[in-house]
Short mmCIF file of all heavy atoms in Angstrom, two decimals:
data_model
loop_
_atom_site.label_atom_id
_atom_site.label_comp_id
_atom_site.label_asym_id
_atom_site.label_seq_id
_atom_site.Cartn_x
_atom_site.Cartn_y
_atom_site.Cartn_z
N SER A 123 3.77 3.97 -1.07
CA SER A 123 5.02 4.59 -0.64
C SER A 123 4.89 6.10 -0.42
O SER A 123 5.81 6.72 0.07
CB SER A 123 6.14 4.31 -1.65
OG SER A 123 5.74 4.76 -2.92
N THR A 124 3.73 6.66 -0.76
CA THR A 124 3.50 8.07 -0.44
C THR A 124 2.06 8.23 0.05
O THR A 124 1.21 7.36 -0.19
CB THR A 124 3.64 8.98 -1.69
OG1 THR A 124 2.63 8.60 -2.64
CG2 THR A 124 5.01 8.87 -2.33
N LEU A 125 1.80 9.39 0.68
CA LEU A 125 0.46 9.67 1.18
C LEU A 125 -0.53 9.78 0.01
O LEU A 125 -1.69 9.37 0.12
CB LEU A 125 0.50 11.00 1.95
CG LEU A 125 -0.47 11.16 3.11
CD1 LEU A 125 -0.33 10.05 4.13
CD2 LEU A 125 -0.25 12.52 3.75
N GLU A 126 -0.04 10.30 -1.11
CA GLU A 126 -0.88 10.44 -2.29
C GLU A 126 -1.34 9.06 -2.81
O GLU A 126 -2.53 8.85 -3.09
CB GLU A 126 -0.06 11.18 -3.37
CG GLU A 126 -0.83 11.60 -4.60
CD GLU A 126 -2.14 12.32 -4.27
OE1 GLU A 126 -2.20 13.02 -3.25
OE2 GLU A 126 -3.12 12.12 -5.02
N HIS A 127 -0.40 8.12 -2.90
CA HIS A 127 -0.77 6.75 -3.30
C HIS A 127 -1.75 6.14 -2.31
O HIS A 127 -2.67 5.42 -2.69
CB HIS A 127 0.46 5.84 -3.36
CG HIS A 127 1.34 6.12 -4.54
ND1 HIS A 127 2.68 5.80 -4.56
CD2 HIS A 127 1.06 6.70 -5.73
CE1 HIS A 127 3.19 6.17 -5.72
NE2 HIS A 127 2.23 6.71 -6.45
N ALA A 128 -1.51 6.42 -1.04
CA ALA A 128 -2.38 5.86 0.01
C ALA A 128 -3.80 6.39 -0.17
O ALA A 128 -4.77 5.64 -0.06
CB ALA A 128 -1.84 6.23 1.38
N ARG A 129 -3.91 7.68 -0.47
CA ARG A 129 -5.25 8.28 -0.67
C ARG A 129 -5.97 7.61 -1.82
O ARG A 129 -7.14 7.28 -1.72
CB ARG A 129 -5.10 9.78 -1.01
CG ARG A 129 -5.15 10.61 0.19
CD ARG A 129 -5.44 12.08 -0.02
NE ARG A 129 -5.05 12.70 1.23
CZ ARG A 129 -3.91 13.32 1.44
NH1 ARG A 129 -3.06 13.48 0.45
NH2 ARG A 129 -3.61 13.80 2.62
N LYS A 130 -5.25 7.41 -2.92
CA LYS A 130 -5.87 6.79 -4.11
C LYS A 130 -6.34 5.37 -3.78
O LYS A 130 -7.45 4.98 -4.14
CB LYS A 130 -4.88 6.74 -5.27
CG LYS A 130 -4.74 8.07 -5.97
CD LYS A 130 -3.99 7.91 -7.28
CE LYS A 130 -3.78 9.26 -7.93
NZ LYS A 130 -2.50 9.40 -8.59
N ALA A 131 -5.47 4.61 -3.13
CA ALA A 131 -5.81 3.21 -2.82
C ALA A 131 -6.99 3.16 -1.85
O ALA A 131 -7.91 2.35 -2.01
CB ALA A 131 -4.60 2.49 -2.23
N ALA A 132 -6.97 4.07 -0.85
CA ALA A 132 -8.06 4.08 0.13
C ALA A 132 -9.38 4.42 -0.55
O ALA A 132 -10.41 3.78 -0.29
CB ALA A 132 -7.75 5.07 1.25
N SER A 133 -9.35 5.40 -1.46
CA SER A 133 -10.63 5.76 -2.08
C SER A 133 -11.08 4.71 -3.09
O SER A 133 -12.28 4.60 -3.37
CB SER A 133 -10.60 7.18 -2.67
OG SER A 133 -9.69 7.21 -3.71
N ALA A 134 -10.16 3.90 -3.60
CA ALA A 134 -10.57 2.80 -4.49
C ALA A 134 -11.26 1.69 -3.69
O ALA A 134 -11.96 0.86 -4.26
CB ALA A 134 -9.36 2.24 -5.22
N GLY A 135 -11.02 1.65 -2.36
CA GLY A 135 -11.72 0.67 -1.53
C GLY A 135 -10.91 -0.54 -1.11
O GLY A 135 -11.48 -1.60 -0.82
N VAL A 136 -9.57 -0.41 -1.06
CA VAL A 136 -8.76 -1.56 -0.62
C VAL A 136 -9.07 -1.88 0.84
O VAL A 136 -9.62 -1.04 1.57
CB VAL A 136 -7.24 -1.30 -0.81
CG1 VAL A 136 -6.92 -0.98 -2.27
CG2 VAL A 136 -6.75 -0.19 0.11
N ASP A 137 -8.71 -3.09 1.28
CA ASP A 137 -9.06 -3.51 2.64
C ASP A 137 -8.06 -3.02 3.69
O ASP A 137 -8.42 -2.89 4.86
CB ASP A 137 -9.13 -5.05 2.70
CG ASP A 137 -10.28 -5.58 1.86
OD1 ASP A 137 -11.43 -5.19 2.14
OD2 ASP A 137 -10.03 -6.35 0.91
N ALA A 138 -6.80 -2.81 3.30
CA ALA A 138 -5.78 -2.36 4.24
C ALA A 138 -4.61 -1.79 3.45
O ALA A 138 -4.48 -2.03 2.24
CB ALA A 138 -5.31 -3.53 5.12
N LEU A 139 -3.76 -1.04 4.16
CA LEU A 139 -2.58 -0.45 3.51
C LEU A 139 -1.31 -0.93 4.20
O LEU A 139 -1.30 -1.13 5.42
CB LEU A 139 -2.61 1.08 3.63
CG LEU A 139 -3.75 1.83 2.94
CD1 LEU A 139 -3.69 3.32 3.32
CD2 LEU A 139 -3.66 1.66 1.43
N VAL A 140 -0.24 -1.11 3.41
CA VAL A 140 1.09 -1.33 3.99
C VAL A 140 1.86 -0.01 3.88
O VAL A 140 1.98 0.56 2.78
CB VAL A 140 1.88 -2.42 3.22
CG1 VAL A 140 3.33 -2.46 3.70
CG2 VAL A 140 1.23 -3.78 3.41
N VAL A 141 2.34 0.47 5.03
CA VAL A 141 3.11 1.72 5.07
C VAL A 141 4.48 1.41 5.66
O VAL A 141 4.57 0.92 6.79
CB VAL A 141 2.39 2.79 5.93
CG1 VAL A 141 3.24 4.04 6.08
CG2 VAL A 141 1.03 3.12 5.33
N VAL A 142 5.50 1.67 4.88
CA VAL A 142 6.87 1.30 5.27
C VAL A 142 7.74 2.54 5.25
O VAL A 142 7.58 3.41 4.40
CB VAL A 142 7.39 0.22 4.29
CG1 VAL A 142 8.88 0.06 4.38
CG2 VAL A 142 6.71 -1.13 4.57
N GLY A 143 8.67 2.64 6.21
CA GLY A 143 9.54 3.81 6.29
C GLY A 143 10.93 3.56 5.73
O GLY A 143 11.25 2.46 5.25
N ALA A 144 11.74 4.61 5.80
CA ALA A 144 13.05 4.64 5.14
C ALA A 144 14.05 3.62 5.67
O ALA A 144 15.04 3.31 5.01
CB ALA A 144 13.65 6.04 5.28
N GLU A 145 13.79 3.08 6.87
CA GLU A 145 14.71 2.10 7.45
C GLU A 145 14.68 0.77 6.70
O GLU A 145 15.57 -0.08 6.86
CB GLU A 145 14.31 1.80 8.91
CG GLU A 145 14.38 2.98 9.85
CD GLU A 145 13.04 3.72 9.96
OE1 GLU A 145 12.33 3.82 8.94
OE2 GLU A 145 12.73 4.19 11.06
N ALA A 146 13.61 0.56 5.94
CA ALA A 146 13.33 -0.76 5.37
C ALA A 146 14.38 -1.22 4.37
O ALA A 146 14.97 -0.42 3.64
CB ALA A 146 11.97 -0.73 4.68
N GLY A 147 14.53 -2.54 4.30
CA GLY A 147 15.33 -3.15 3.24
C GLY A 147 14.53 -3.19 1.94
O GLY A 147 13.32 -3.01 1.95
N GLY A 148 15.24 -3.41 0.83
CA GLY A 148 14.55 -3.44 -0.47
C GLY A 148 14.40 -2.02 -0.99
O GLY A 148 15.36 -1.26 -1.00
#
Side-chain angles (χ1 to χ4, degrees):
S123 56
T124 63
L125 211 56
E126 189 49 33
H127 286 156
R129 268 198 196 99
K130 281 192 184 143
S133 64
V136 302
D137 294 302
L139 296 174
V140 171
V141 175
V142 164
E145 298 92 324

